Amino acid sequence: LRNGIVIDIPISDVALDDIIEVRPGERIPVDGEVSEGTSFVDESMITGEPIPVEKVPGSLMVGGTVNQKGALRLRATAVGGQTMLSQIIRMVEQAQGSKLPIQAVVDKVTLWFVPVVMLAALLTFLAWLTFGPSPALSFALVNAVAVLIIACPCAMGLATPTSIMVGTGRGAEMGILFRKGEALQLLKDARVVAVDKTGTLTEGRPVMTDLELAEGFELDLVLAKVAAVESRSEFDSITGMGVRATVDGERVEVGADRFMRELGLDIEYFSKTAIRLGNEGKSPLYVAIDGRLAAIIAVADPIKSSTPIAINALHQLGLKVAMITGDNANTANAIARQLGIDEVVAEVLPEGKVEAVRRLKESYGKVAYVGDGINDAPALAVADIGLAIGTGTDIAVESADVVLMSGNLQGVPNAIGLSKATIGNIRQNLFWAFGYNAALIPVAAGLLYPAYGLLLSPIFAAGAMALSSVFVLGNALRLRRFQPPLAEDSEH
């Protein structure tokens, strides 16, 4: 929509803040925010979820998704290489082009394999030239060439990258994006999965359930001031503590118990209420108005329906599950009991999450950390494998090794299952490539000639060598049929 007129232009000409009209049934051209209209959009190509998502003014849109029956207008917020789809394509390409740690072992073996094969070919030539029947030179040349051809390490070179390409491609279809190729190998070695609570285990959209006032405050007044602060919570947020704003000339602070203590306020007045709320799985927050403790409010963040299934699947894989959260300990323990979580670390700031991850490493071994927020970014970076919920913040995604586009925890057991399948596939390829080549080198050298009079023609040696590569490629392509542990819930 330009100068009041709707015109068709190439997608490359779309600029930031352009207003774009999307008709029913059309594909969303770029990332944007709905400015007019309502509709349902099929976002399965991004999230893997089959149910169309309702879009109203203010909703965010992802380029590449498909509009259903309604007409929409959206303001372009990302174009060209900055759109989510372009970033996903870049991440997949980078992962597919990367080397796994196992490839370093292959490279070392190949480094010795090639000169050993050349030495074997030379010895074959000299042996036939010295002891072979007439014409000795012809026999020597033919058999030496057969050894070189049969041992050509093409299959060894293909064994790892083909499995990586197919595995990461299958992961992308499942909504699992490997930002770093090595995560594909490291995931299978994880011994404990540490998860953030809010937005990872839960919906991340808390609902206020209780409010209790301190003496001298009115309900309507406190509610109005809290609502005013929360509606602009990003205006002055103190990470891991709470929010602060000025409402009608009064300073209003809303946050956790540690925030109140930092303000020098005694919260003992609400201690019994806080314990009760925590035992109910609710998060107690406190309200201070002009430096006086005014109220305690309870916030409950519902657990995602996919979370219990995912945690059960992780336990079946033999993994421990730990929850690391900045939330109140009583609330965290209540949720942990509901979900069967093995270990809880509560009331920690971002740096505390990093320390908790390090302790888990010392206790269990390799740690996979799953989070979605700004306060998860340091822990995602320090964990052996960081998995970011794709619906979370950009900084969390940038700090992670793996991105789960579906927005729920079920992607974790699926990613671990894919990691195990891919590395297993690579090992099968390597076993075949090295074993096949090593077994046929003596045949090509003429080992069967004295007993059976059989020699391997260079033509057949070339065919056998090609067969080895075909086997490796065919075996890698089997990963396309990989079925994740939670297939029904992760794919449509």
Side-chain angles (χ1 to χ4, degrees):
L1 179 69
R2 286 186 175 167
N3 301 318
I5 302 170
V6 176
I7 56 172
D8 285 332
I9 61 171
I11 195 169
S12 57
D13 292 346
V14 176
L16 282 177
D17 294 323
D18 270 351
I19 300 299
I20 298 161
E21 189 171 274
V22 183
R23 302 177 186 95
E26 288 187 336
R27 195 173 291 277
I28 311 299
V30 295
D31 292 2
E33 181 181 313
V34 177
S35 58
E36 289 182 44
T38 60
S39 183
F40 284 83
V41 173
D42 179 357
E43 295 187 334
S44 59
M45 65 165 286
I46 297 294
T47 65
E49 300 297 327
I51 301 171
V53 180
E54 185 179 14
K55 299 293 181 180
V56 297
S59 298
L60 298 179
M61 309 280 277
V62 179
T65 56
V66 180
N67 185 26
Q68 303 277 293
K69 295 181 179 178
L72 295 169
R73 279 185 176 174
L74 63 111
R75 179 180 61 83
T77 57
V79 298
Q82 300 306 309
T83 63
M84 183 182 290
L85 189 59
S86 296
Q87 291 174 26
I88 289 171
I89 292 167
R90 254 195 320 274
M91 281 191 274
V92 173
E93 287 175 343
Q94 286 168 1
Q96 289 181 334
S98 63
K99 279 190 175 184
L100 303 194
I102 196 172
Q103 181 65 43
V105 178
V106 177
D107 291 344
K108 285 180 181 177
V109 173
T110 307
L111 186 68
W112 290 100
F113 183 83
V114 172
V116 166
V117 167
M118 295 181 74
L119 179 61
L122 179 61
L123 292 173
T124 299
F125 177 81
L126 294 175
W128 279 94
L129 190 63
T130 307
F131 306 108
S134 182
L137 181 59
S138 297
F139 277 107
L141 284 170
V142 167
N143 290 316
V145 169
V147 168
L148 288 173
I149 292 173
I150 200 72
C152 179
C154 297
M156 298 174 202
L158 292 169
T160 302
T162 50
S163 295
I164 294 172
M165 289 194 70
V166 180
T168 51
R170 180 70 183 115
E173 289 176 357
M174 292 158 49
I176 301 165
L177 301 179
F178 291 90
R179 295 188 69 246
K180 298 174 184 174
E182 59 265 29
L184 191 61
Q185 179 173 344
L186 295 175
L187 254 179
K188 73 172 182 59
D189 297 323
R191 292 293 171 264
V192 59
V193 175
V195 296
D196 170 52
K197 179 178 77 70
T198 307
T200 305
L201 297 177
T202 63
E203 295 287 355
R205 293 190 297 273
V207 177
M208 192 180 81
T209 57
D210 301 75
L211 187 148
E212 189 175 306
L213 297 169
E215 289 182 10
F217 290 91
E218 295 179 12
L219 177 63
D220 291 347
L221 182 68
V222 172
L223 263 179
K225 290 187 184 298
V226 170
V229 174
E230 291 298 319
S231 68
R232 297 294 298 275
S233 66
E234 291 306 308
F235 184 67
D236 186 9
S237 79
I238 302 150
T239 303
M241 291 284 191
V243 291
R244 175 187 288 128
T246 301
V247 182
D248 293 333
E250 292 184 306
R251 191 176 82 254
V252 181
E253 284 134 336
V254 183
D257 49 4
R258 56 181 170 270
F259 189 26
M260 296 298 117
R261 283 193 285 269
E262 189 176 274
L263 295 172
L265 298 177
D266 183 6
I267 57 172
E268 185 62 28
Y269 182 85
F270 290 121
S271 59
K272 290 183 180 178
T273 305
I275 292 170
R276 174 180 60 80
L277 295 173
N279 289 335
E280 293 172 1
K282 299 171 182 175
S283 298
L285 297 173
Y286 299 86
V287 182
I289 298 177
D290 266 353
R292 293 171 56 210
L293 188 64
I296 183 172
I297 58 180
V299 174
D301 185 6
I303 295 169
K304 292 179 181 178
S305 59
S306 57
T307 296
I309 303 166
I311 289 178
N312 185 51
L314 290 170
H315 282 144
Q316 288 180 353
L317 288 169
L319 297 166
K320 294 283 186 183
V321 180
M323 179 168 71
I324 304 175
T325 177
D327 210 344
N328 176 278
N330 290 329
T331 306
N333 285 317
I335 288 174
R337 284 193 298 271
Q338 290 179 47
L339 296 173
I341 288 172
D342 305 294
E343 194 166 326
V344 178
V345 181
E347 300 183 18
V348 289
L349 296 175
E351 56 269 28
K353 291 189 175 188
V354 170
E355 184 55 37
V357 168
R358 287 181 176 143
R359 285 201 306 271
L360 287 171
K361 281 186 183 183
E362 291 172 5
S363 301
Y364 297 102
K366 283 194 165 45
V367 175
Y369 184 87
V370 190
D372 75 322
I374 292 173
N375 59 346
D376 293 313
L380 285 165
V382 80
D384 295 291
I385 313 101
L387 300 99
I389 300 295
T391 51
T393 60
D394 288 346
I395 192 168
V397 170
E398 286 300 315
S399 302
D401 305 305
V402 183
V403 181
L404 308 175
M405 298 304 298
S406 63
N408 67 57
L409 204 62
Q410 292 188 5
V412 180
N414 289 345
I416 292 171
L418 180 62
S419 170
K420 290 182 175 181
T422 303
I423 299 305
N425 190 272
I426 288 172
R427 285 175 173 157
Q428 292 163 9
N429 286 349
L430 291 173
F431 177 80
W432 173 266
F434 283 112
Y436 180 89
N437 285 19
L440 287 183
I441 286 174
V443 177
L447 183 67
L448 300 179
Y449 185 80
Y452 304 103
L454 295 176
L455 288 175
L456 186 65
S457 162
I459 296 172
F460 287 107
M465 182 271 293
L467 180 64
S468 179
S469 298
V470 169
F471 174 88
V472 164
L473 287 169
N475 191 48
L477 288 172
R478 289 192 311 113
L479 285 171
R480 294 177 63 184
R481 298 196 298 274
F482 169 78
Q483 291 301 316
L486 300 176
E488 291 183 7
D489 295 281
S490 67
E491 295 189 275
H492 54 91

